[in-house]
Amino acid sequence: MTPGASRAAGLLLGFAADRLLGDPRRHHPVAGFGAVASALERRVHADRRSRGLAYTVALVGGAALAGRAADRLAERCPLAHAAVTATAAWAVLGGRSLEREALAVHACLDRGDLPAARLRLTHLVGRDTSGLDEPGIVRAVVESVAENTSDAVVAPLVWGAFAGVPGLLGYRAANTLDAMVGHRTPRHERFGWAAARLDDLLNLPGSRLGGALAAAAAPARARQALAAWRADAAAHPSPNAGVVEAAFAGSLGVRLGGTNRYGTRTEHRPVLGTGRRARRADVPRAVVLARRVGTGAALLAAGAAWARGRRGRTR
């Protein structure tokens, strides 16, 4: 078995583990990384881009180097290499947990318990949920499912296919730092700039693949998904979230976007798609679409890893 084949097998096994098991209940390695990053941020924070850049390079570089060491140690034994890749993939993927949270909010709505739905929604989004009505909650869930399918499933698989364990760990480190310090708050406006820009860069290929897969996964509405992507994605404040959210909107036949509140800050997001307003039944539809997108990404990532391994062997 070539390193490319063992990498492909590991990506598929890691994806299967995430689908079957979800995130580890205790001692999650991403949570451990977050604790280290938080402790370091308290020690080195300064209101300067240069300090934030050094912080980001140290943590993302450290994660990638640790992955490189694990990759090199295991790649001489195909079974060990597949196991290491699978473990890393399972640790960084979050599709199953995303699905559970979305469906938990849907269950609260089915019971007519809006306060519980608003509270549970805080597990998925950073916006203020306290004043949301049911359509607002549904919109937030569908947008989160779309964006996080790209961030937590498609993008890590892309980097795992082309860079192995270092790609998986380095990508997840960058994405975690963006969630921690990449938002435009007074404390992190400058310090978090590097983390936010690196996350934008690393998510470019995953978001485009995620948008294409969202269109392919709903063939009857592929034209509408691509049209929404072309017409609406560029107006979104994120160069990546807009792509996949617009594609999901077109595939589901709904309209996303609108006003979001983040504490004292209000953002007026562009309308994505030309369909009707999202309804409660669209949450499980979005989950099914996300599952198809994730499965397609896993198969393509495994195929790319295997093909790269074969090309390297014939040179």
Side-chain angles (χ1 to χ4, degrees), residues 46-67:
D47 190 24
R48 298 200 303 269
R49 285 186 176 183
S50 58
R51 187 66 65 88
L53 175 62
Y55 168 83
T56 300
V57 169
L59 287 167
V60 176
L65 286 173

Side-chain angles (χ1 to χ4, degrees), residues 21 78 117 182 262 273:
L21 304 172
Y262 301 88

Side-chain angles (χ1 to χ4, degrees), residues 13 50 126-127 190 198 242:
L13 288 170
S50 58
R127 71 191 69 174
R190 295 178 183 273
L198 178 60

Side-chain angles (χ1 to χ4, degrees), residues 27-37:
H27 310 301
H28 196 301
V30 176
F33 173 84
V36 171

Side-chain angles (χ1 to χ4, degrees), residues 10-94:
L11 291 173
L12 290 175
L13 288 170
F15 177 77
D18 177 63
R19 291 302 316 159
L20 292 171
L21 304 172
D23 289 337
R25 296 292 185 182
R26 300 174 61 187
H27 310 301
H28 196 301
V30 176
F33 173 84
V36 171
S38 182
L40 182 62
E41 191 261 346
R42 288 193 296 269
R43 292 178 65 88
V44 306
H45 177 273
D47 190 24
R48 298 200 303 269
R49 285 186 176 183
S50 58
R51 187 66 65 88
L53 175 62
Y55 168 83
T56 300
V57 169
L59 287 167
V60 176
L65 286 173
R68 178 61 175 160
D71 221 16
R72 291 293 295 272
L73 285 172
E75 66 183 2
R76 292 188 179 183
C77 174
L79 290 178
H81 190 233
V84 167
T85 304
T87 301
W90 177 38
V92 305
L93 293 174

Side-chain angles (χ1 to χ4, degrees), residues 121 124-125 127 129 132 134-146 256 260 278:
L121 181 59
L124 281 174
V125 300
R127 71 191 69 174
T129 67
L132 294 181
E134 180 171 314
I137 293 171
V138 169
R139 175 172 71 84
V141 173
V142 174
E143 289 171 354
S144 179
V145 167
L256 301 177
N260 297 336

Side-chain angles (χ1 to χ4, degrees), residues 87-157:
T87 301
W90 177 38
V92 305
L93 293 174
R96 179 60 173 164
S97 295
L98 173 65
E99 177 180 308
R100 286 173 177 165
E101 290 298 332
L103 293 177
V105 176
H106 182 258
C108 293
L109 293 176
D110 265 352
R111 296 195 303 269
D113 193 343
L114 276 180
R118 294 184 187 114
L119 181 62
R120 193 63 186 249
L121 181 59
T122 61
H123 297 189
L124 281 174
V125 300
R127 71 191 69 174
D128 180 5
T129 67
S130 61
L132 294 181
D133 57 7
E134 180 171 314
I137 293 171
V138 169
R139 175 172 71 84
V141 173
V142 174
E143 289 171 354
S144 179
V145 167
E147 180 179 5
N148 286 295
T149 295
S150 174
D151 288 0
V153 182
V154 182
L157 287 168

